[in-house]
């Protein structure tokens, strides 16, 4: 066989390259050299591994959300949020993420301010899809949430306290919980608590600007999440307002605030403000027609018998735990950063607890 | 005697205090169904059952608000306004709001 000349080798290579490119074109794929490859605009911001505001990741989540707001709203640049390494979504951190992204997208003048890079793991990817983060950002995600602990996440939002906007959702999730579980949720008690949390968001949260000067959106004032997982019913209401500490002086007498402060164990001033509002609501000493809402927020635990209420506001949180209609534990702590809002989060077991275990 | 069923005549999802924040609020209910008939001296029966539930803001503004707006004593109001419910705690709560509103007027 005749040995190919250099010229022939080059010709064959040219032909092979041409045929490869033709094949790629027919398949709709263009071969682009790395230097000419299109890079989507926007700075990449890495999302935290865990969205748990209470156990350790609060500072990280707060910094992440501030970085997104700063880049989009102040620097007016598009961002890509990198969730590749995100593994866990907990209710308070996730509702805050949902609310903040919604706020930033609503305010931004950019055409597509935020894009997301999906998590590697299937479960967190399903969670983002299920709660509607892709709908917010306008990104495509073909995954269909299937996991039992994901499909019951429901998200909604609103700008009034009109019951028609979220009443059917509350009723539907309560019905679902009661259909599948032994311990029944009392719908009127659930309504009373959720209703007051929403009313607080509308009436008090946006009276004053929060730390970054944000004064509220006309289109959305509150965001709500519900979830049923491992026989535990969870519901959270979030606002992006100024927090308890800035408004309690308007509804609660100074003397009462001082009396709670004197017996408060802890050093977080936001946690103290939350506890003061809760104590004022249930003390029955409140005068006039205001300040009763906090009692309603706690009343769900008393009616259900067992469960937890966690209230996060700005940089602090309070946790109330009930068992057999009595408060058995109350603790508080700090998030490490001002989250710029308030989250009220109920966790109610839907099966009878073995109280001997506690 | 005028009978008002909150669930049928107003909403199944009563919520909130002021009507500026929602059409299903206590203030909206009070203005639409209670104030004018009471001003005209009519007797009213309010049936509370059938809704999903009530928050204290709604109840206080709807019924405690009557004392403030109409400048009427709790005793006189209770003679004209009758509450019906299968839940005695709810009736007691509404009565408490009316009494509290009376105290704040004094």
């Amino acid at each position: 066989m005749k040995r190919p000349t250099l010229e022939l080798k080059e010709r064959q290579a040219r032909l092979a390259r041409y045929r490869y490119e033709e094949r790629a074109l027919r398949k709709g794929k263009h071969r682009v050299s790395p230097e000419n490859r299109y890079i989507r605009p926007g700075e990449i911001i890495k999302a935290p591994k865990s969205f748990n505001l209470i156990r350790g990741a609060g500072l990280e989540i707060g910094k992440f959300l501030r970085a997104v707001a700063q880049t989009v709203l102040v620097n007016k640049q598009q961002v890509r949020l990198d969730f590749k390494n995100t593994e866990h979504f907990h209710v308070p951190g996730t509702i805050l993420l949902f609310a903040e992204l919604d706020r930033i997208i609503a305010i931004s003048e950019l055409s597509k301010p935020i894009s997301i890079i999906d998590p590697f793991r299937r479960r967190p990817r399903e969670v983002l899809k299920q709660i509607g983060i892709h709908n917010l950002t306008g990104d495509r995600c073909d995954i269909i949430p299937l996991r039992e602990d994901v499909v019951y996440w429901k998200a909604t939002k609103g700008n009034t306290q009109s019951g028609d906007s979220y009443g059917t959702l509350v009723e539907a999730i309560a019905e679902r919980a009661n259909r599948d579980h032994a311990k029944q949720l009392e719908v009127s008690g659930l309504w009373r608590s959720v209703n007051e949390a929403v009313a607080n968001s509308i009436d008090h949260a946006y009276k004053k600007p929060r730390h970054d000067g944000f004064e509220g959106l006309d289109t959305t004032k509150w965001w709500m999440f519900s979830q049923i997982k491992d026989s535990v019913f969870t519901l959270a209401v979030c606002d992006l307002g100024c927090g308890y500490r800035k408004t309690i002086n308007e509804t609660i007498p100074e003397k009462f605030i001082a009396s709670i402060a004197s017996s408060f164990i802890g050093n977080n001033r936001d946690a103290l403000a939350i506890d003061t509002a809760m104590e004022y609501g249930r003390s029955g000493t409140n005068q006039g027609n205001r300040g009763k809402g906090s009692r309603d927020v706690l009343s769900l635990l008393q009616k259900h018998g067992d469960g937890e209420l966690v209230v996060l506001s700005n940089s602090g949180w309070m946790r109330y735990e009930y068992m057999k209609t009595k408060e058995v534990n109350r603790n508080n702590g700090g998030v490490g950063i001002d989250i710029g809002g308030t989250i009220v989060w109920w966790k109610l077991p839907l099966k009878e607890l073995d109280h001997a275990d506690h | 005697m005028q009978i008002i069923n909150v669930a049928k005549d107003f909403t199944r999802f009563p919520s909130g205090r002021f009507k500026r924040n929602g059409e299903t609020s206590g203030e909206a209910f009070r203005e639409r169904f209670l104030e004018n008939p009471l001003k005209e001296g009519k007797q009213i029966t309010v049936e509370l059952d059938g809704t999903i539930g009530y928050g204290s803001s709604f109840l206080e503004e709807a019924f405690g608000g009557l004392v403030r707006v109409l400048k009427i004593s709790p005793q006189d109001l209770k003679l004209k306004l009758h509450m019906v419910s299968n839940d005695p705690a709810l009736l007691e709560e509404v009565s408490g709001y009316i009494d509290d509103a009376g105290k704040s007027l004094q």
Side-chain angles (χ1 to χ4, degrees):
Chain A
M1 197 177 135
K2 194 180 172 183
R3 286 182 68 185
T5 60
L6 182 65
E7 203 177 30
L8 186 62
K9 275 184 182 173
E10 281 175 354
R11 182 172 179 269
Q12 281 172 334
R14 213 166 44 240
L15 277 171
R17 197 162 52 240
Y18 171 76
R19 283 173 187 153
Y20 173 81
E21 282 171 1
E22 282 296 305
R23 270 202 308 276
L25 271 176
R26 279 197 298 276
K27 281 183 185 171
K29 288 178 184 169
H30 297 265
R31 190 168 155 270
V32 185
S33 58
E35 62 271 21
N36 292 332
R37 195 163 287 155
Y38 172 73
I39 298 169
R40 297 180 70 183
E43 187 184 327
I44 292 182
I45 301 176
K46 272 196 152 207
K49 191 176 175 187
S50 166
F51 274 79
N52 189 340
L53 276 176
I54 292 174
R55 291 194 182 129
L59 183 63
E60 215 185 332
I61 297 167
K63 283 183 174 174
F64 166 71
L65 293 174
R66 283 186 185 194
V68 179
Q70 170 76 21
T71 313
V72 173
L73 301 177
V74 181
N75 304 346
K76 303 199 185 304
Q77 282 178 355
Q78 293 174 313
V79 289
R80 283 189 291 157
L81 310 184
D82 181 0
F83 287 97
K84 267 188 275 186
N85 297 320
T86 303
E87 292 176 4
H88 304 292
F89 284 108
H90 297 261
V91 171
T94 313
I95 195 171
L96 185 68
L97 169 77
F98 180 68
E100 266 294 316
L101 294 190
D102 192 23
R103 174 188 85 90
I104 293 167
I105 290 168
I107 295 175
S108 171
E109 294 154 0
L110 301 170
S111 60
K112 189 178 186 309
I114 297 173
S115 305
I116 56 173
I117 301 169
D118 283 329
F120 276 135
R121 288 171 186 254
R122 187 179 171 92
R123 188 183 175 277
R125 218 178 328 151
E126 284 192 15
V127 170
L128 288 183
K129 170 81 175 188
Q130 176 71 20
I131 62 176
I133 295 284
H134 294 90
N135 291 345
L136 276 183
T137 59
D139 288 306
R140 191 176 145 177
C141 178
D142 294 332
I143 201 168
I144 297 167
L146 295 170
R147 294 175 62 112
E148 272 286 299
D149 54 354
V150 174
V151 292
Y152 292 133
W153 283 75
K154 300 281 175 216
T156 188
K157 59 185 182 176
N159 64 343
T160 70
Q161 48 182 275
S162 174
D164 294 337
S165 60
Y166 60 97
T168 44
L169 174 83
V170 171
E171 201 170 39
I173 51 180
E175 265 172 29
R176 184 189 289 273
N178 288 343
R179 192 184 60 210
D180 299 340
H181 297 89
K183 187 164 182 173
Q184 300 285 291
L185 266 178
E186 205 214 351
V187 185
S188 66
L190 177 63
W191 180 251
R192 174 173 285 251
S193 295
V194 174
N195 188 230
E196 284 308 320
V198 170
N200 274 339
S201 301
I202 302 280
D203 283 342
H204 304 295
Y206 301 100
K207 273 184 173 173
K208 292 177 182 173
R210 66 175 200 179
H211 66 82
D212 57 0
F214 175 66
E215 294 181 50
L217 295 172
D218 289 336
T219 48
T220 313
K221 304 273 189 210
W222 53 263
W223 292 260
M224 188 187 292
F225 261 17
S226 65
Q227 184 203 40
I228 300 167
K229 180 184 166 188
D230 302 333
S231 295
V232 176
F233 172 83
T234 289
L235 195 138
V237 177
C238 171
D239 67 61
L240 299 177
C242 59
Y244 274 75
R245 187 146 64 95
K246 280 193 179 175
T247 56
I248 56 163
N249 293 329
E250 292 173 13
T251 44
I252 301 175
E254 240 173 69
K255 209 173 160 187
F256 190 89
I257 296 173
S259 73
I260 297 295
S262 64
S263 59
F264 183 75
I265 300 166
N267 52 16
N268 188 292
R269 289 166 69 197
D270 287 303
L272 171 62
I274 300 165
D275 201 36
T276 307
M278 291 295 160
E279 280 301 322
Y280 188 66
R282 62 181 177 180
S283 65
T285 58
N286 44 2
Q287 292 173 356
N289 55 336
R290 310 302 295 273
K292 297 176 173 81
S294 304
R295 180 180 59 192
D296 285 356
V297 169
L298 264 173
S299 69
L300 180 57
L301 295 186
Q302 286 155 343
K303 280 205 169 176
H304 193 70
D306 304 302
E308 272 178 49
L309 168 72
V310 180
V311 183
L312 298 102
S313 184
N314 293 354
S315 65
W317 56 266
M318 281 298 306
R319 178 174 165 273
Y320 304 86
E321 189 182 353
Y322 274 64
M323 213 176 276
K324 290 183 173 175
T325 72
K326 296 272 184 295
E327 185 181 314
V328 290
N329 200 0
R330 180 189 303 203
N331 46 20
N332 67 75
V335 182
I337 194 168
D338 186 344
I339 60 168
T342 297
I343 299 165
V344 182
W345 175 35
W346 296 269
K347 280 202 293 185
L348 306 172
L350 296 172
K351 59 182 179 189
E352 294 297 339
L353 296 179
D354 184 0
H355 293 290
D357 291 347
H358 293 272
Chain B
M1 168 81 77
Q2 193 172 333
I3 297 173
I4 298 158
N5 184 299
V6 181
K8 285 180 189 161
D9 301 326
F10 186 57
T11 179
R12 282 194 57 237
F13 307 110
S15 56
R17 181 178 290 275
F18 300 117
K19 66 178 181 187
R20 66 167 186 264
N21 295 325
E23 277 308 306
T24 54
S25 63
E27 186 185 27
F29 177 72
R30 189 188 72 220
E31 287 183 358
R32 213 167 123 194
F33 292 98
L34 306 180
E35 282 181 19
N36 286 337
L38 287 171
K39 274 182 199 165
E40 291 162 12
K42 288 180 185 165
Q43 298 265 325
I44 301 177
T45 297
V46 180
E47 295 174 347
L48 295 167
D49 295 339
T51 66
I52 188 171
Y54 294 93
S56 59
S57 299
F58 177 92
L59 295 173
E60 204 289 325
E61 193 59 40
F63 303 107
L66 279 172
V67 175
R68 289 190 294 274
V69 171
L70 301 180
K71 307 255 185 301
I72 184 173
S73 72
Q75 294 76 18
D76 289 346
L77 179 62
K78 286 177 186 175
L79 288 175
K80 292 178 182 173
L81 183 70
H82 309 281
M83 300 288 169
V84 179
S85 172
N86 289 327
D87 181 358
L90 182 61
L91 296 175
E92 201 178 312
E93 186 181 352
V94 173
S95 175
Y97 291 139
I98 292 172
D99 291 338
D100 285 350
K103 282 178 209 161
S104 63
L105 268 192
Q106 287 162 5

